[in-house]
Amino acid sequence: MWVMQINVSQQLRSSIGSIRDYEVNEIIDVTDDGNSSLVQGKVSLMRTDRGILVKGVLDTEVELTCSRCLSLFHCPLALALEEEYFPTTDVVSGAPLPLPEEFGSFTIDERHELNLTEAIRQCALLAIPMKPLCREDCAGLCPHCGHNLNRGACNCLPLEADPRWSGLNRLNKEKGTQ
């Protein structure tokens, strides 16, 4: 069984370039909103000269609100994970190591355990579309009554055209008759 915490003490003792593969099949709250999602896929951990490089392709699904019709829907996400983790404690001597200079770097704790949860969460947040749509042809909401137009037409009367657009409307009609 795979857990989000991986003990990498043996791999930190291995030569640079050594690789270990892991299956991911965990439930994680990727959007930090209290709703957990199943995250599945594979990750490879490779020993580098500075720590452990994690690469993988993961799939998950999150519940989002459509930006047009405001309905909740499930949005599939494909995550391409690639992060380097740096040890905080020397695996042989147990002496503390200096933290990496890069802000926001991921670290391996003093028990030599690597936690993928935050890296997966951050990757998922970046994969969520800025303007999520329940479907490409989402009709949205009626601007007057708020009816979801994906469920059919509303009972609102058609709007009278703004007279400032009359020239453009006339051109559209002429173009349609040719």
Side-chain angles (χ1 to χ4, degrees):
M1 180 171 170
W2 193 89
V3 293
M4 296 312 290
Q5 295 270 34
I6 301 172
N7 189 311
V8 293
S9 59
Q10 291 300 322
Q11 195 166 6
L12 287 172
R13 289 184 178 100
S14 300
S15 60
I16 294 173
S18 66
I19 296 175
R20 295 201 177 153
D21 295 324
Y22 295 89
E23 291 283 329
V24 177
N25 191 18
E26 288 293 316
I27 295 178
I28 304 172
D29 183 6
V30 294
T31 55
D32 221 11
D33 63 357
N35 295 323
S36 297
S37 304
L38 178 64
V39 178
Q40 294 179 308
K42 294 181 181 184
V43 292
S44 292
L45 278 60
M46 181 174 72
R47 176 73 166 105
T48 66
D49 60 337
R50 304 186 317 164
I52 303 286
L53 178 66
V54 177
K55 283 185 172 186
V57 177
L58 305 170
D59 294 307
T60 190
E61 189 175 85
V62 293
E63 187 175 64
L64 299 175
T65 302
C66 178
S67 62
R68 286 187 192 158
C69 69
L70 305 180
S71 296
L72 290 176
F73 72 101
H74 291 277
C75 179
L77 299 177
L79 313 177
L81 185 67
E82 184 170 346
E83 294 291 342
E84 188 168 14
Y85 284 75
F86 302 98
T88 56
T89 307
D90 184 85
V91 72
V92 176
S93 69
L97 296 172
L99 292 175
E101 293 179 14
E102 297 94 4
F103 177 74
S105 297
F106 293 102
T107 56
I108 301 167
D109 69 15
E110 63 280 350
R111 294 182 316 269
H112 311 294
E113 289 184 349
L114 179 146
N115 188 339
L116 290 177
T117 306
E118 182 59 18
I120 292 171
R121 192 186 73 75
Q122 288 181 20
C123 191
L125 289 175
L126 290 173
I128 293 174
M130 290 178 71
K131 294 199 177 225
L133 295 177
C134 60
R135 61 184 202 224
E136 278 191 48
D137 63 341
C138 177
L141 301 174
C142 172
H144 298 287
C145 70
H147 175 75
N148 185 341
L149 297 174
N150 293 318
R151 297 184 183 134
C154 63
N155 295 327
C156 294
L157 296 174
L159 289 176
E160 290 185 31
D162 187 327
R164 294 175 287 180
W165 294 104
S166 62
L168 183 58
N169 288 335
R170 188 173 53 255
L171 284 173
N172 280 336
K173 286 179 185 177
E174 290 172 8
K175 187 177 181 182
T177 58
Q178 292 178 354

PDB file of all heavy atoms in Angstrom, residues 21-42:
ATOM      1  N   ASP A  21      10.249   3.554  -8.208  1.00  0.00           N
ATOM      2  CA  ASP A  21       8.916   3.904  -8.689  1.00  0.00           C
ATOM      3  C   ASP A  21       7.873   3.554  -7.636  1.00  0.00           C
ATOM      4  O   ASP A  21       7.996   2.543  -6.937  1.00  0.00           O
ATOM      5  CB  ASP A  21       8.596   3.156  -9.985  1.00  0.00           C
ATOM      6  CG  ASP A  21       9.506   3.558 -11.132  1.00  0.00           C
ATOM      7  OD1 ASP A  21       9.870   4.750 -11.205  1.00  0.00           O
ATOM      8  OD2 ASP A  21       9.866   2.690 -11.945  1.00  0.00           O
ATOM      9  N   TYR A  22       6.847   4.397  -7.568  1.00  0.00           N
ATOM     10  CA  TYR A  22       5.762   4.203  -6.609  1.00  0.00           C
ATOM     11  C   TYR A  22       4.420   4.433  -7.296  1.00  0.00           C
ATOM     12  O   TYR A  22       4.297   5.288  -8.172  1.00  0.00           O
ATOM     13  CB  TYR A  22       5.887   5.170  -5.426  1.00  0.00           C
ATOM     14  CG  TYR A  22       7.101   4.933  -4.581  1.00  0.00           C
ATOM     15  CD1 TYR A  22       8.307   5.558  -4.869  1.00  0.00           C
ATOM     16  CD2 TYR A  22       7.050   4.081  -3.490  1.00  0.00           C
ATOM     17  CE1 TYR A  22       9.433   5.337  -4.095  1.00  0.00           C
ATOM     18  CE2 TYR A  22       8.169   3.859  -2.702  1.00  0.00           C
ATOM     19  CZ  TYR A  22       9.352   4.486  -3.009  1.00  0.00           C
ATOM     20  OH  TYR A  22      10.464   4.257  -2.244  1.00  0.00           O
ATOM     21  N   GLU A  23       3.418   3.682  -6.875  1.00  0.00           N
ATOM     22  CA  GLU A  23       2.040   3.865  -7.331  1.00  0.00           C
ATOM     23  C   GLU A  23       1.368   4.840  -6.367  1.00  0.00           C
ATOM     24  O   GLU A  23       1.509   4.711  -5.153  1.00  0.00           O
ATOM     25  CB  GLU A  23       1.268   2.546  -7.304  1.00  0.00           C
ATOM     26  CG  GLU A  23       1.718   1.547  -8.331  1.00  0.00           C
ATOM     27  CD  GLU A  23       1.223   1.862  -9.728  1.00  0.00           C
ATOM     28  OE1 GLU A  23       0.130   2.431  -9.866  1.00  0.00           O
ATOM     29  OE2 GLU A  23       1.943   1.529 -10.674  1.00  0.00           O
ATOM     30  N   VAL A  24       0.615   5.777  -6.913  1.00  0.00           N
ATOM     31  CA  VAL A  24      -0.158   6.716  -6.103  1.00  0.00           C
ATOM     32  C   VAL A  24      -1.626   6.340  -6.248  1.00  0.00           C
ATOM     33  O   VAL A  24      -2.137   6.216  -7.357  1.00  0.00           O
ATOM     34  CB  VAL A  24       0.063   8.170  -6.566  1.00  0.00           C
ATOM     35  CG1 VAL A  24      -0.804   9.133  -5.774  1.00  0.00           C
ATOM     36  CG2 VAL A  24       1.528   8.547  -6.463  1.00  0.00           C
ATOM     37  N   ASN A  25      -2.274   6.161  -5.115  1.00  0.00           N
ATOM     38  CA  ASN A  25      -3.696   5.849  -5.077  1.00  0.00           C
ATOM     39  C   ASN A  25      -4.211   6.351  -3.725  1.00  0.00           C
ATOM     40  O   ASN A  25      -4.473   5.572  -2.827  1.00  0.00           O
ATOM     41  CB  ASN A  25      -3.916   4.345  -5.248  1.00  0.00           C
ATOM     42  CG  ASN A  25      -5.366   4.015  -5.491  1.00  0.00           C
ATOM     43  OD1 ASN A  25      -6.165   4.883  -5.855  1.00  0.00           O
ATOM     44  ND2 ASN A  25      -5.725   2.766  -5.280  1.00  0.00           N
ATOM     45  N   GLU A  26      -4.319   7.662  -3.612  1.00  0.00           N
ATOM     46  CA  GLU A  26      -4.649   8.285  -2.338  1.00  0.00           C
ATOM     47  C   GLU A  26      -5.776   9.285  -2.482  1.00  0.00           C
ATOM     48  O   GLU A  26      -5.977   9.863  -3.551  1.00  0.00           O
ATOM     49  CB  GLU A  26      -3.428   9.028  -1.777  1.00  0.00           C
ATOM     50  CG  GLU A  26      -2.345   8.136  -1.261  1.00  0.00           C
ATOM     51  CD  GLU A  26      -2.753   7.351  -0.037  1.00  0.00           C
ATOM     52  OE1 GLU A  26      -3.369   7.923   0.886  1.00  0.00           O
ATOM     53  OE2 GLU A  26      -2.458   6.153  -0.007  1.00  0.00           O
ATOM     54  N   ILE A  27      -6.470   9.524  -1.395  1.00  0.00           N
ATOM     55  CA  ILE A  27      -7.510  10.548  -1.353  1.00  0.00           C
ATOM     56  C   ILE A  27      -6.910  11.766  -0.676  1.00  0.00           C
ATOM     57  O   ILE A  27      -6.411  11.686   0.455  1.00  0.00           O
ATOM     58  CB  ILE A  27      -8.754  10.029  -0.607  1.00  0.00           C
ATOM     59  CG1 ILE A  27      -9.362   8.879  -1.401  1.00  0.00           C
ATOM     60  CG2 ILE A  27      -9.755  11.151  -0.398  1.00  0.00           C
ATOM     61  CD1 ILE A  27     -10.557   8.229  -0.774  1.00  0.00           C
ATOM     62  N   ILE A  28      -6.934  12.902  -1.406  1.00  0.00           N
ATOM     63  CA  ILE A  28      -6.314  14.135  -0.933  1.00  0.00           C
ATOM     64  C   ILE A  28      -7.291  15.292  -1.126  1.00  0.00           C
ATOM     65  O   ILE A  28      -8.044  15.320  -2.102  1.00  0.00           O
ATOM     66  CB  ILE A  28      -5.028  14.451  -1.734  1.00  0.00           C
ATOM     67  CG1 ILE A  28      -4.042  13.296  -1.666  1.00  0.00           C
ATOM     68  CG2 ILE A  28      -4.362  15.718  -1.232  1.00  0.00           C
ATOM     69  CD1 ILE A  28      -2.862  13.476  -2.590  1.00  0.00           C
ATOM     70  N   ASP A  29      -7.248  16.249  -0.240  1.00  0.00           N
ATOM     71  CA  ASP A  29      -8.024  17.474  -0.396  1.00  0.00           C
ATOM     72  C   ASP A  29      -7.180  18.433  -1.238  1.00  0.00           C
ATOM     73  O   ASP A  29      -6.463  19.272  -0.717  1.00  0.00           O
ATOM     74  CB  ASP A  29      -8.339  18.082   0.973  1.00  0.00           C
ATOM     75  CG  ASP A  29      -9.197  19.325   0.887  1.00  0.00           C
ATOM     76  OD1 ASP A  29      -9.650  19.673  -0.217  1.00  0.00           O
ATOM     77  OD2 ASP A  29      -9.396  19.961   1.934  1.00  0.00           O
ATOM     78  N   VAL A  30      -7.258  18.302  -2.559  1.00  0.00           N
ATOM     79  CA  VAL A  30      -6.373  19.063  -3.443  1.00  0.00           C
ATOM     80  C   VAL A  30      -6.752  20.535  -3.550  1.00  0.00           C
ATOM     81  O   VAL A  30      -5.908  21.366  -3.857  1.00  0.00           O
ATOM     82  CB  VAL A  30      -6.276  18.442  -4.857  1.00  0.00           C
ATOM     83  CG1 VAL A  30      -5.615  17.094  -4.812  1.00  0.00           C
ATOM     84  CG2 VAL A  30      -7.621  18.360  -5.522  1.00  0.00           C
ATOM     85  N   THR A  31      -8.003  20.888  -3.306  1.00  0.00           N
ATOM     86  CA  THR A  31      -8.405  22.293  -3.420  1.00  0.00           C
ATOM     87  C   THR A  31      -8.473  22.985  -2.064  1.00  0.00           C
ATOM     88  O   THR A  31      -8.788  24.157  -1.993  1.00  0.00           O
ATOM     89  CB  THR A  31      -9.776  22.413  -4.123  1.00  0.00           C
ATOM     90  OG1 THR A  31     -10.724  21.615  -3.420  1.00  0.00           O
ATOM     91  CG2 THR A  31      -9.684  21.985  -5.573  1.00  0.00           C
ATOM     92  N   ASP A  32      -8.180  22.269  -1.003  1.00  0.00           N
ATOM     93  CA  ASP A  32      -8.160  22.813   0.353  1.00  0.00           C
ATOM     94  C   ASP A  32      -9.522  23.388   0.756  1.00  0.00           C
ATOM     95  O   ASP A  32      -9.592  24.366   1.482  1.00  0.00           O
ATOM     96  CB  ASP A  32      -7.066  23.886   0.468  1.00  0.00           C
ATOM     97  CG  ASP A  32      -6.323  23.780   1.787  1.00  0.00           C
ATOM     98  OD1 ASP A  32      -6.502  22.779   2.496  1.00  0.00           O
ATOM     99  OD2 ASP A  32      -5.549  24.710   2.106  1.00  0.00           O
ATOM    100  N   ASP A  33     -10.605  22.772   0.250  1.00  0.00           N
ATOM    101  CA  ASP A  33     -11.948  23.245   0.581  1.00  0.00           C
ATOM    102  C   ASP A  33     -12.747  22.214   1.371  1.00  0.00           C
ATOM    103  O   ASP A  33     -13.952  22.342   1.532  1.00  0.00           O
ATOM    104  CB  ASP A  33     -12.703  23.635  -0.688  1.00  0.00           C
ATOM    105  CG  ASP A  33     -12.929  22.468  -1.629  1.00  0.00           C
ATOM    106  OD1 ASP A  33     -12.445  21.356  -1.336  1.00  0.00           O
ATOM    107  OD2 ASP A  33     -13.577  22.660  -2.672  1.00  0.00           O
ATOM    108  N   GLY A  34     -12.081  21.182   1.843  1.00  0.00           N
ATOM    109  CA  GLY A  34     -12.753  20.154   2.618  1.00  0.00           C
ATOM    110  C   GLY A  34     -13.273  19.000   1.788  1.00  0.00           C
ATOM    111  O   GLY A  34     -13.743  18.013   2.341  1.00  0.00           O
ATOM    112  N   ASN A  35     -13.222  19.103   0.460  1.00  0.00           N
ATOM    113  CA  ASN A  35     -13.659  18.021  -0.425  1.00  0.00           C
ATOM    114  C   ASN A  35     -12.438  17.248  -0.890  1.00  0.00           C
ATOM    115  O   ASN A  35     -11.560  17.799  -1.527  1.00  0.00           O
ATOM    116  CB  ASN A  35     -14.409  18.571  -1.641  1.00  0.00           C
ATOM    117  CG  ASN A  35     -15.702  19.241  -1.243  1.00  0.00           C
ATOM    118  OD1 ASN A  35     -16.385  18.785  -0.336  1.00  0.00           O
ATOM    119  ND2 ASN A  35     -16.042  20.326  -1.905  1.00  0.00           N
ATOM    120  N   SER A  36     -12.405  15.956  -0.590  1.00  0.00           N
ATOM    121  CA  SER A  36     -11.269  15.128  -0.966  1.00  0.00           C
ATOM    122  C   SER A  36     -11.496  14.489  -2.326  1.00  0.00           C
ATOM    123  O   SER A  36     -12.628  14.215  -2.713  1.00  0.00           O
ATOM    124  CB  SER A  36     -11.038  14.049   0.082  1.00  0.00           C
ATOM    125  OG  SER A  36     -10.705  14.642   1.313  1.00  0.00           O
ATOM    126  N   SER A  37     -10.405  14.266  -3.052  1.00  0.00           N
ATOM    127  CA  SER A  37     -10.451  13.670  -4.385  1.00  0.00           C
ATOM    128  C   SER A  37      -9.453  12.524  -4.449  1.00  0.00           C
ATOM    129  O   SER A  37      -8.385  12.577  -3.835  1.00  0.00           O
ATOM    130  CB  SER A  37     -10.067  14.703  -5.449  1.00  0.00           C
ATOM    131  OG  SER A  37     -10.880  15.831  -5.377  1.00  0.00           O
ATOM    132  N   LEU A  38      -9.796  11.520  -5.233  1.00  0.00           N
ATOM    133  CA  LEU A  38      -8.887  10.396  -5.454  1.00  0.00           C
ATOM    134  C   LEU A  38      -7.811  10.831  -6.441  1.00  0.00           C
ATOM    135  O   LEU A  38      -8.113  11.345  -7.515  1.00  0.00           O
ATOM    136  CB  LEU A  38      -9.649   9.186  -6.002  1.00  0.00           C
ATOM    137  CG  LEU A  38      -8.816   7.949  -6.322  1.00  0.00           C
ATOM    138  CD1 LEU A  38      -8.171   7.387  -5.054  1.00  0.00           C
ATOM    139  CD2 LEU A  38      -9.676   6.905  -6.994  1.00  0.00           C
ATOM    140  N   VAL A  39      -6.557  10.643  -6.056  1.00  0.00           N
ATOM    141  CA  VAL A  39      -5.416  10.954  -6.913  1.00  0.00           C
ATOM    142  C   VAL A  39      -4.737   9.630  -7.255  1.00  0.00           C
ATOM    143  O   VAL A  39      -4.383   8.872  -6.354  1.00  0.00           O
ATOM    144  CB  VAL A  39      -4.418  11.909  -6.213  1.00  0.00           C
ATOM    145  CG1 VAL A  39      -3.217  12.179  -7.093  1.00  0.00           C
ATOM    146  CG2 VAL A  39      -5.096  13.206  -5.810  1.00  0.00           C
ATOM    147  N   GLN A  40      -4.592   9.354  -8.567  1.00  0.00           N
ATOM    148  CA  GLN A  40      -4.004   8.098  -9.007  1.00  0.00           C
ATOM    149  C   GLN A  40      -2.920   8.349 -10.040  1.00  0.00           C
ATOM    150  O   GLN A  40      -2.995   9.319 -10.791  1.00  0.00           O
ATOM    151  CB  GLN A  40      -5.067   7.198  -9.630  1.00  0.00           C
ATOM    152  CG  GLN A  40      -6.123   6.727  -8.667  1.00  0.00           C
ATOM    153  CD  GLN A  40      -7.151   5.865  -9.358  1.00  0.00           C
ATOM    154  OE1 GLN A  40      -7.717   6.251 -10.360  1.00  0.00           O
ATOM    155  NE2 GLN A  40      -7.378   4.685  -8.797  1.00  0.00           N
ATOM    156  N   GLY A  41      -1.947   7.462 -10.082  1.00  0.00           N
ATOM    157  CA  GLY A  41      -0.891   7.548 -11.083  1.00  0.00           C
ATOM    158  C   GLY A  41       0.389   6.924 -10.579  1.00  0.00           C
ATOM    159  O   GLY A  41       0.381   6.117  -9.644  1.00  0.00           O
ATOM    160  N   LYS A  42       1.489   7.317 -11.206  1.00  0.00           N
ATOM    161  CA  LYS A  42       2.802   6.788 -10.851  1.00  0.00           C
ATOM    162  C   LYS A  42       3.779   7.936 -10.682  1.00  0.00           C
ATOM    163  O   LYS A  42       3.718   8.926 -11.406  1.00  0.00           O
ATOM    164  CB  LYS A  42       3.319   5.854 -11.945  1.00  0.00           C
ATOM    165  CG  LYS A  42       2.515   4.596 -12.096  1.00  0.00           C
ATOM    166  CD  LYS A  42       3.084   3.708 -13.171  1.00  0.00           C
ATOM    167  CE  LYS A  42       2.219   2.474 -13.302  1.00  0.00           C
ATOM    168  NZ  LYS A  42       2.756   1.524 -14.251  1.00  0.00           N
TER     169      LYS A  42
END
